[in-house]
Amino acid sequence: MSESETNTTHTSKQKHEFQSEAKQVLELMIHSVYSNPDIFLRELISNASDALDKLRIESLSDDTLSDCARDPKITVTVDPKERIVTIRDNGIGMSRDELVSYLGTIARSGTGEFVRAMQEAATSGRSDLIGQFGVGFYSSFIVADRVAVESRHAGSDESWLWDSTGDGTFTIEPADLEGNGTEITLYMKDKAEKDADGDDAPTKDYLSSWALRGIIKQYSDFVSYPIYLEETGKEKKDDEKSEPVNSMKAIWIRPEAEVSDDEYKEFYRHITHDWEDPLERIAYRAEGTNEFHALLYIPSHPPFDLFYREGKHGIQLYIRRVFIMSDCRDLIPEYMRFVRGVVDSEDLPLNVSREILQEDRQTAMIKRSLTRKVLDALKKMKTDDAEAYKKFWGMFGIVLKEGIVQDSRNRETILKLCLVENSRGETTTLEEYVARMKDGQKGIYYIAGGDVEALRNSPKLEAFRKRDIEVLLLGDPVDEFWVTAAGKFGDHAFVSVASADIDLPDGDAEATDEERASAKKLEDAGIAARLKEAMANLGGVAKSVEEVRLSTRLVDSPATFVQKGDPITPQMRAMFKAMGQEMPEEKRVLEINPSHPLVKRIADDAGDNYADWATLLLGVAQIADGEPIDNPAAFTKTLGKMLEK
Ligand code: ADP
């Protein structure tokens, strides 16, 4: 945005440019044949309703605003002769700076992605798709070729006029709007006119109160403030009282059977400003001593702030139909922060504060039952609609898994909801894994640290593959936390394949005579002990090696690390170190493969090169674990030297 005049007193008209993303969205609005132009009204009413919410909340803590907050309402006026539709609210309003920044930029989550999706929909000719995107204020330009916004911030003595024809610029100048709030004036396109591309402008006639009434009823019936409709030139008879167009019935109170799918979707759009339909909906009513209604949704794409510490939580709290606060963190656990929706309590006091909620027993009960409802819904989705569940898991699984650590009460349920990759290239649940466990298998084997593809190729899996034992590949950084916190699933302990003392049944995987002979030769030469000795003179990772031993688990790789005690991956160690945390001393065991040609060669060595062999084996083991090598230059030098021999 750039100001073309540098008038610091701001008393005259000033011209500004839209931010480039905003320009793109505007272009799309103006030129695309929008499949559903009706939505402009839904978007503007939704903004008006938000503005009334904001004012009501602010007036609670600011007495000077209580007059402004009286008699909240939204008025839609149509003037067929002048071809004008206005939407007026007496909400919080916008200051000059707010008009410039809110209406000149798009601060939407994933704006780039959004614009791309819009453009694709436009160019692919799938105009029906465009209709699925909510575009907020800018949707005015679908139906209007000029939009003027007059606004007065509640409590302010100035009002301002924002005006644009959507040509890439807008102007700002002082105005004289009465009272606080916002009035949006739409100069409607002429339906006979063609737009710049020769496309027809929206054919529908928005200039009759009859048409507007229908749209308001369809999209905004549940808005909790009265929406009045007036037509200029049509005088009301004296005894005719204005009735709001909308029923203001809270959708979450109505019995589910009475509400259509479309109404639920509209409400989701209203509270989230999302442009896609939700993946799942949960309507719930609790009766008894703690009565409340809840209407929750699981979005079909993740919000941009899912992993920000300050990211938004999606629950709005109402008390007996009155909006109290959004972003209410005490009603849903942290690990369900992707859930959106409304909770309406019958019993909480209206003057409740965030501090009170934190301590409140009723809130804790609501949270507990909502948690269970969401888990039930997920369980149902998992059995009834595997595709949808997979989609859910791909987006939010990583967040839900936090619950295994945070919520011991529901730990087992969440574990059952987990989808995990396994060493056979499949996605599995823990229950399925357990059902496939081999006779005598001692636990649920897993490998953690690094991404799934790297884990899949780890030398630590070789022994398991050879014995046809399945291993879970836990590739998310959080996985190592929960697997440690949970300890077991049902009666089966989680066992890391990096653990030094796993004993696997040999079965079909028994060593061949040749392998035995090779192992014997190395044993007789005391290779393991001699390598360990050589490590005394090496630094870095060698210092953490407590033992070197001949392995029975390796098949193709020369060496790997395993650990005594509770295995902690190098990735987790690095993370804790970065956070400045003390970690228990590392006790690694270097296992070397007696059947590997590289290791066999050591047996022929008279002893001059043990330090070099040790360097090589340590480096190889580190690389396979996705761990940085201590001294890459020294390693490659040794590698070169040994290859030459
Ligand atoms: P969104 O509503 O998705 O944030 P919009 O483009 O519709 O995006 O609106 C941008 C911002 O402009 C809103 O977040 C709000 O702060 C402000 N705004 C829009 N309409 C109004 C209004 N009627 N009253 C007060 N503020 C408004």
Side-chain angles (χ1 to χ4, degrees):
M1 227 173 327
S2 68
E3 295 202 11
S4 59
E5 291 167 54
T6 45
N7 184 338
T8 47
T9 59
H10 289 164
T11 48
S12 61
K13 190 164 177 170
Q14 295 188 311
K15 196 167 174 179
H16 296 254
E17 269 187 41
F18 286 99
Q19 164 212 39
S20 63
E21 280 94 349
K23 247 188 227 175
Q24 282 173 291
V25 171
L26 267 175
E27 284 284 299
L28 283 161
M29 288 298 102
I30 294 168
H31 296 300
S32 56
V33 190
Y34 213 93
S35 66
N36 185 9
D38 289 3
I39 60 130
F40 83 94
L41 196 54
R42 162 187 91 194
E43 301 290 320
L44 296 180
I45 288 178
S46 179
N47 282 348
S49 157
D50 289 350
L52 290 165
D53 280 343
K54 277 184 205 151
L55 176 57
R56 214 183 50 73
I57 300 300
E58 277 191 27
S59 71
L60 293 178
S61 56
D62 182 350
D63 285 345
T64 61
L65 293 179
S66 55
D67 276 346
C68 302
R70 213 161 281 155
D71 191 21
K73 63 178 176 195
I74 300 166
T75 309
V76 178
T77 311
V78 56
D79 183 340
K81 239 175 65 215
E82 299 294 326
R83 307 190 52 79
I84 286 172
V85 174
T86 61
I87 293 96
R88 171 73 211 244
D89 67 71
N90 55 352
I92 189 76
M94 284 173 274
S95 65
R96 181 185 186 280
D97 288 350
E98 286 169 341
L99 277 169
V100 172
S101 87
Y102 294 166
L103 304 187
T105 59
I106 299 184
R108 191 185 289 280
S109 51
T111 300
E113 180 202 346
F114 170 74
V115 171
R116 228 171 302 122
M118 287 280 298
Q119 276 165 340
E120 261 165 41
T123 51
S124 66
R126 297 278 313 275
S127 59
D128 56 322
L129 275 181
I130 303 179
Q132 294 170 11
F133 303 117
V135 281
F137 169 73
Y138 293 106
S139 58
S140 330
F141 287 96
I142 303 167
V143 295
D145 45 24
R146 180 183 159 206
V147 178
V149 181
E150 274 184 277
S151 199
R152 181 193 298 274
H153 200 280
S156 164
D157 52 9
E158 344 174 302
S159 69
W160 295 91
L161 168 66
W162 179 104
D163 201 336
S164 177
T165 54
D167 61 348
T169 63
F170 58 88
T171 58
I172 290 272
E173 63 192 291
D176 48 9
L177 182 74
E178 262 179 49
N180 56 285
T182 302
E183 179 165 286
I184 298 178
T185 306
L186 306 174
Y187 297 88
M188 304 299 275
K189 288 180 185 171
D190 189 336
K191 69 173 171 177
E193 273 176 15
K194 305 266 177 186
D195 71 14
D197 294 342
D199 295 325
D200 287 326
T203 50
K204 199 160 170 176
D205 192 354
Y206 294 105
L207 292 167
S208 79
S209 49
W210 174 81
L212 294 176
R213 178 178 303 272
I215 300 173
I216 296 171
K217 280 225 78 76
Q218 181 180 354
Y219 294 104
S220 310
D221 192 58
F222 46 75
V223 167
S224 56
Y225 301 98
I227 305 170
Y228 296 99
L229 183 60
E230 289 170 5
E231 189 168 329
T232 313
K234 234 189 204 170
E235 286 307 316
K236 260 188 288 199
K237 292 187 207 97
D238 281 348
D239 56 344
E240 201 178 60
K241 254 194 21 221
S242 266
E243 291 286 338
V245 177
N246 56 330
S247 73
M248 293 182 268
K249 265 198 209 146
I251 191 168
W252 56 91
I253 302 290
R254 294 165 58 195
E256 223 180 337
E258 262 181 32
V259 183
S260 73
D261 262 3
D262 278 348
E263 283 178 287
Y264 277 126
K265 282 180 194 163
E266 281 308 331
F267 182 69
Y268 171 74
R269 295 211 176 103
H270 175 73
I271 55 170
T272 60
H273 296 234
D274 190 358
W275 59 87
E276 277 178 44
D277 286 342
L279 192 63
E280 185 73 28
R281 167 183 93 225
I282 304 157
Y284 177 57
R285 170 177 191 176
E287 285 166 322
T289 49
N290 187 10
E291 210 179 313
F292 68 92
H293 288 81
L295 177 54
L296 307 181
Y297 297 89
I298 297 172
S300 54
H301 62 107
F304 74 108
D305 56 1
L306 194 58
F307 293 105
Y308 294 174
R309 197 183 287 272
E310 294 306 321
K312 263 200 162 21
H313 283 224
I315 306 294
Q316 299 184 345
L317 174 66
Y318 280 71
I319 295 175
R320 295 182 289 287
R321 255 62 72 216
V322 177
F323 175 75
I324 303 294
M325 64 179 80
S326 49
D327 194 17
C328 191
R329 287 160 191 258
D330 298 301
L331 293 173
I332 199 100
E334 180 77 17
Y335 69 90
M336 289 183 177
R337 57 185 176 272
F338 51 84
V339 174
R340 299 285 177 263
V342 167
V343 172
D344 189 351
S345 160
E346 294 296 327
D347 307 310
L348 287 169
L350 272 172
N351 60 357
V352 75
S353 67
R354 288 193 194 269
E355 291 66 40
I356 295 176
L357 281 176
Q358 258 171 29
E359 308 285 309
D360 188 65
R361 264 191 56 240
Q362 272 186 37
T363 321
M365 274 166 67
I366 297 178
K367 179 173 171 177
R368 217 173 305 140
S369 64
L370 291 183
T371 305
R372 223 178 20 241
K373 281 288 145 195
V374 174
L375 290 174
D376 284 350
L378 290 175
K379 192 169 149 196
K380 189 160 180 309
M381 194 199 295
K382 182 163 152 280
T383 8
D384 295 355
D385 188 350
E387 265 316 294
Y389 188 74
K390 227 170 141 183
K391 189 172 173 202
F392 161 80
W393 186 259
M395 296 182 298
F396 301 120
I398 189 165
V399 178
L400 191 73
K401 280 191 279 194
E402 294 171 12
I404 303 171
V405 181
Q406 291 166 13
D407 185 356
S408 50
R409 188 196 296 261
N410 291 304
R411 177 171 289 164
E412 201 74 10
T413 313
I414 304 171
L415 282 172
K416 283 183 188 161
L417 287 170
C418 288
L419 299 184
V420 192
E421 299 290 312
N422 71 9
S423 50
R424 294 174 184 162
E426 305 152 338
T427 303
T428 181
T429 64
L430 292 173
E431 283 171 305
E432 288 162 356
Y433 179 100
V434 167
R436 284 190 295 261
M437 277 170 63
K438 299 252 179 237
D439 281 347
Q441 183 174 336
K442 301 237 171 62
I444 299 174
Y445 293 112
Y446 74 89
I447 179 165
D451 65 78
V452 165
E453 281 327 301
L455 295 177
R456 203 185 291 291
N457 293 310
S458 167
K460 298 191 196 0
L461 298 189
E462 290 169 5
F464 294 84
R465 273 216 187 91
K466 194 171 173 191
R467 290 162 177 81
D468 193 29
I469 296 174
E470 189 179 339
V471 177
L472 299 177
L473 312 180
L474 304 181
D476 284 332
V478 297
D479 287 340
E480 207 173 338
F481 285 102
W482 69 252
V483 85
T484 317
K488 59 192 181 127
F489 172 67
D491 298 332
H492 305 284
F494 289 108
V495 180
S496 165
V497 301
S499 170
D501 29 51
I502 288 181
D503 81 278
L504 292 173
D506 258 339
D508 302 340
E510 220 174 306
T512 62
D513 288 346
E514 198 193 328
E515 281 165 352
R516 262 194 222 108
S518 170
K520 173 96 174 48
K521 189 173 166 197
L522 290 164
E523 221 173 280
D524 292 346
I527 295 288
R530 294 173 76 173
L531 282 170
K532 173 78 180 79
E533 231 174 78
M535 283 181 200
N537 302 320
L538 300 175
V541 68
K543 294 245 170 301
S544 64
V545 175
E546 202 186 57
E547 185 190 339
V548 179
R549 71 186 181 199
L550 298 179
S551 177
T552 53
R553 66 171 94 197
L554 292 166
V555 179
D556 301 315
S557 304
T560 193
F561 287 121
V562 293
Q563 290 175 51
K564 292 190 171 169
D566 288 333
I568 301 169
T569 62
Q571 286 79 4
M572 178 106 122
R573 245 172 217 286
M575 195 157 78
F576 274 118
K577 215 172 134 196
M579 297 189 304
Q581 292 231 13
E582 287 275 334
M583 291 295 283
E585 206 196 327
E586 227 175 341
K587 290 190 175 143
R588 303 196 197 210
V589 176
L590 181 70
E591 290 210 346
I592 55 175
N593 178 0
S595 305
H596 194 279
L598 183 70
V599 179
K600 283 190 197 163
R601 280 276 285 106
I602 307 177
D604 305 330
D605 193 303
D608 309 338
N609 299 309
Y610 269 79
D612 289 336
W613 289 118
T615 303
L616 277 189
L617 292 170
L618 290 169
V620 165
Q622 281 189 296
I623 293 173
D625 280 346
E627 187 183 1
I629 312 187
D630 294 324
N631 187 341
F635 175 77
T636 31
K637 215 158 122 196
T638 311
L639 183 66
K641 185 169 123 195
M642 300 305 273
L643 281 176
E644 219 167 276
K645 287 183 182 171

